[in-house]
Amino acid sequence: DAGVIQSPRHEVTEMGQEVTLRCKPISGHNSLFWYRQTMMRGLELLIYFNNNVPIDDSGMPEDRFSAKMPNASFSTLKIQPSEPRDSAVYFCASSFASGGSTDTQYFGPGTRLTVL
Amino acid sequence: DAKTTQPPSMDCAEGRAANLPCNHSTISGNEYVYWYRQIHSQGPQYIIHGLKNNETNEMASLIITEDRKSSTLILPHATLRDTAVYYCIVRVPNTGGFKTIFGAGTRLFVKA
């Protein structure tokens, strides 16, 4: 298995531009997570999906951020318009949540976003 | 907020066992303890998880106290490549089920 795939690996953009981050979860997994990591705030959960449905988006910073999961094998995180404070590493993770108490997440390599 | 408490950093000599403690005094009866690690610039990596019995896999061992209020991750023979931030996690309840909250973790330095 290729693991969780994220693209692009690096993105440099200018303030005000739209940014779209992409994630392909591990085949067979039914939960998908988006995290953001900065030095100041550590690793923060932004949103997670279960069976393609957003379950908790309370971590999404503001309306400039949106996430979609149109099917089981693809998700996007969009920032529009981007701001310098959005600069961070964004991780996608997936898991197979059986409804019980276990939920082992597998992370992608991350997208390093720099907003100038 | 994370439901766990870990020391911010630890040192370990190469080849020796690294014992990383974690307190989770408010853990509920059916919640698992998870350990992940993050090597610099990489995504977090799953290590091990357990409920109440001790667990061992090819990466590490997990010792959970009988009252389940604390646990210890053991890397039996630490190598330089084990230098990383180690996260101990107990999921927190929220609408729709539970969610995983990462704390600050323990930064482990393995020294030659």
Side-chain angles (χ1 to χ4, degrees):
Chain A
D1 197 319
V4 176
I5 299 173
Q6 291 187 247
S7 64
R9 294 292 308 277
H10 302 273
E11 177 80 29
V12 179
T13 190
E14 293 187 343
M15 182 174 63
Q17 297 298 307
E18 177 180 295
V19 175
T20 299
L21 311 181
R22 298 172 176 80
C23 176
K24 177 179 170 56
I26 292 172
S27 177
H29 282 186
N30 60 359
S31 292
L32 183 140
F33 308 80
W34 283 101
Y35 291 86
R36 176 174 68 175
Q37 187 170 36
T38 61
M39 290 291 292
M40 291 295 293
R41 300 177 65 89
L43 198 58
E44 303 173 278
L45 177 65
L46 299 178
I47 184 171
Y48 75 93
F49 296 82
N50 187 253
N51 294 321
N52 310 339
V53 176
I55 302 299
D56 185 341
D57 65 354
S58 60
M60 296 285 263
E62 49 198 271
D63 292 344
R64 297 184 298 105
F65 285 69
S66 62
K68 295 182 180 180
M69 191 164 187
N71 56 61
S73 59
F74 184 66
S75 177
T76 60
L77 178 67
K78 184 176 294 186
I79 308 172
Q80 166 63 17
S82 59
E83 297 182 2
R85 60 190 168 130
D86 301 330
S87 297
V89 180
Y90 291 81
F91 290 104
C92 176
S94 70
S95 71
F96 178 71
S98 62
S101 299
T102 58
D103 180 27
T104 301
Q105 296 182 25
Y106 296 87
F107 284 75
T111 294
R112 182 173 296 275
L113 173 66
T114 302
V115 183
L116 303 175
Chain B
D1 290 338
K3 291 176 62 176
T4 62
T5 304
Q6 300 177 252
S9 66
M10 293 182 63
D11 290 345
C12 178
E14 187 179 23
R16 304 298 293 269
N19 298 287
L20 292 91
C22 179
N23 287 323
H24 31 78
S25 58
T26 61
I27 192 171
S28 61
N30 62 348
E31 269 305 296
Y32 283 73
V33 180
Y34 276 84
W35 284 83
Y36 291 81
R37 74 178 182 183
Q38 187 173 24
I39 296 171
H40 181 63
S41 300
Q42 298 181 20
Q45 175 190 26
Y46 164 77
I47 300 174
I48 198 168
H49 72 281
L51 183 61
K52 54 184 178 180
N53 297 319
N54 298 338
E55 301 288 344
T56 296
N57 63 20
E58 65 279 4
M59 291 183 68
S61 294
L62 176 60
I63 309 297
I64 302 174
T65 58
E66 192 170 343
D67 63 8
R68 303 210 327 118
K69 292 185 177 182
S70 65
S71 61
T72 301
L73 179 75
I74 301 173
L75 308 179
H77 305 286
T79 71
L80 298 179
R81 287 176 296 182
D82 292 322
T83 292
V85 178
Y86 287 77
Y87 298 98
C88 170
I89 295 166
V90 174
R91 296 184 307 166
V92 299
N94 78 322
T95 54
F98 292 84
K99 66 180 180 181
T100 297
I101 305 295
F102 282 80
T106 295
R107 189 173 294 274
L108 176 68
F109 296 94
V110 181
K111 300 181 176 181

Coordinates of all heavy atoms in Angstrom, one line a residue, chain B residues 9 12 23-24 29 37-38 43-44 52 65 67 73-74 76 80-81 86 94 109 111:
Chain B
S9 N 10.8 16.9 27.7 CA 12.0 16.3 27.0 C 12.7 15.3 27.9 O 12.5 15.2 29.1 CB 13.0 17.4 26.7 OG 13.5 18.0 27.8
C12 N 18.4 9.9 26.3 CA 18.7 8.5 26.5 C 20.0 8.2 25.7 O 20.3 8.7 24.7 CB 17.5 7.7 25.9 SG 17.8 5.9 25.9
N23 N 0.9 10.4 32.0 CA -0.2 10.4 32.9 C -1.5 10.7 32.2 O -1.6 11.6 31.4 CB 0.0 11.4 34.0 CG 1.1 11.1 35.0 OD1 1.3 9.9 35.3 ND2 1.9 12.0 35.4
H24 N -2.5 9.9 32.5 CA -3.8 10.0 31.9 C -4.8 9.7 33.0 O -5.6 8.7 32.9 CB -4.0 9.2 30.7 CG -3.2 7.9 30.6 ND1 -3.6 6.8 31.3 CD2 -2.1 7.6 30.0 CE1 -2.8 5.8 31.1 NE2 -1.8 6.3 30.3
G29 N -13.2 4.1 31.2 CA -12.9 2.6 31.2 C -12.7 2.0 29.9 O -12.0 0.9 29.8
R37 N 4.8 8.8 17.2 CA 6.0 9.7 17.3 C 6.2 10.4 16.0 O 5.6 10.0 14.9 CB 7.3 8.8 17.5 CG 7.7 8.0 16.3 CD 9.0 7.2 16.7 NE 9.5 6.4 15.6 CZ 10.6 5.7 15.7 NH1 11.2 5.5 16.8 NH2 11.0 5.0 14.6
Q38 N 6.9 11.5 16.1 CA 7.1 12.4 14.9 C 8.6 12.7 14.8 O 9.1 13.4 15.6 CB 6.3 13.7 15.0 CG 6.3 14.5 13.7 CD 5.4 15.7 13.7 OE1 5.0 16.1 14.8 NE2 5.0 16.1 12.6
G43 N 5.5 13.1 8.9 CA 4.2 13.0 9.6 C 4.3 12.1 10.8 O 5.2 11.2 10.9
P44 N 3.4 12.3 11.7 CA 3.4 11.4 12.9 C 3.2 9.9 12.5 O 2.5 9.6 11.5 CB 2.2 11.9 13.7 CG 2.0 13.3 13.3 CD 2.4 13.3 11.9
K52 N -5.6 -2.2 28.7 CA -5.3 -2.4 30.1 C -4.1 -3.4 30.3 O -3.4 -3.4 31.3 CB -6.5 -2.8 30.9 CG -7.2 -4.0 30.4 CD -8.4 -4.3 31.3 CE -9.2 -5.5 30.7 NZ -10.4 -5.7 31.6
T65 N -0.5 0.9 33.9 CA -0.7 0.6 35.3 C -2.1 0.0 35.5 O -3.0 0.2 34.7 CB -0.5 1.8 36.2 OG1 -1.5 2.8 35.8 CG2 0.9 2.4 36.1
D67 N -4.4 0.7 37.5 CA -5.5 1.6 37.6 C -5.7 2.4 36.3 O -6.6 3.3 36.2 CB -5.3 2.6 38.8 CG -4.1 3.5 38.7 OD1 -3.4 3.5 37.6 OD2 -3.8 4.2 39.6
L73 N 5.9 4.0 27.7 CA 6.4 3.5 26.4 C 7.8 3.1 26.6 O 8.6 4.0 27.0 CB 6.2 4.5 25.3 CG 6.6 4.1 23.9 CD1 5.6 3.1 23.4 CD2 6.8 5.2 23.0
I74 N 8.2 1.9 26.2 CA 9.6 1.5 26.3 C 10.1 1.2 24.9 O 9.6 0.3 24.2 CB 9.7 0.2 27.2 CG1 9.1 0.5 28.6 CG2 11.1 -0.3 27.3 CD1 9.0 -0.7 29.5
P76 N 13.2 -0.6 23.7 CA 14.2 -1.4 24.5 C 15.7 -1.2 24.2 O 16.5 -1.3 25.1 CB 13.8 -2.9 24.0 CG 13.0 -2.7 22.8 CD 12.4 -1.4 22.9
L80 N 19.9 6.2 17.4 CA 19.9 7.6 17.1 C 18.7 8.0 16.3 O 18.1 9.1 16.4 CB 21.2 8.0 16.3 CG 22.5 7.8 17.1 CD1 23.7 8.2 16.2 CD2 22.5 8.6 18.4
R81 N 18.2 7.0 15.5 CA 17.0 7.3 14.6 C 15.7 7.3 15.4 O 14.7 7.7 14.9 CB 16.9 6.2 13.6 CG 17.9 6.3 12.5 CD 17.9 5.1 11.5 NE 18.2 3.9 12.1 CZ 18.2 2.7 11.5 NH1 17.9 2.6 10.2 NH2 18.5 1.6 12.1
Y86 N 7.5 12.2 21.0 CA 6.6 11.1 21.2 C 5.4 11.6 21.9 O 5.4 12.3 22.9 CB 7.3 10.1 22.2 CG 8.4 9.3 21.4 CD1 9.7 9.9 21.2 CD2 8.2 8.0 21.0 CE1 10.6 9.2 20.5 CE2 9.2 7.3 20.3 CZ 10.4 7.9 20.0 OH 11.4 7.2 19.3
N94 N -16.6 13.9 21.9 CA -17.2 15.1 21.3 C -18.4 14.6 20.5 O -18.7 13.4 20.5 CB -16.2 15.8 20.4 CG -16.0 15.1 19.0 OD1 -16.0 13.9 18.9 ND2 -15.9 16.0 18.0
F109 N 15.8 12.7 23.0 CA 17.1 12.9 22.4 C 17.9 11.6 22.7 O 18.2 11.3 23.9 CB 17.8 14.1 22.9 CG 17.2 15.4 22.6 CD1 16.3 16.0 23.5 CD2 17.4 16.0 21.4 CE1 15.7 17.2 23.3 CE2 16.8 17.3 21.1 CZ 16.0 17.8 22.1
K111 N 21.4 9.9 22.4 CA 22.8 10.4 22.3 C 23.8 9.3 22.1 O 23.7 8.3 22.8 CB 23.2 11.3 23.4 CG 22.2 12.5 23.6 CD 22.7 13.4 24.7 CE 21.8 14.6 24.8 NZ 22.1 15.5 25.9

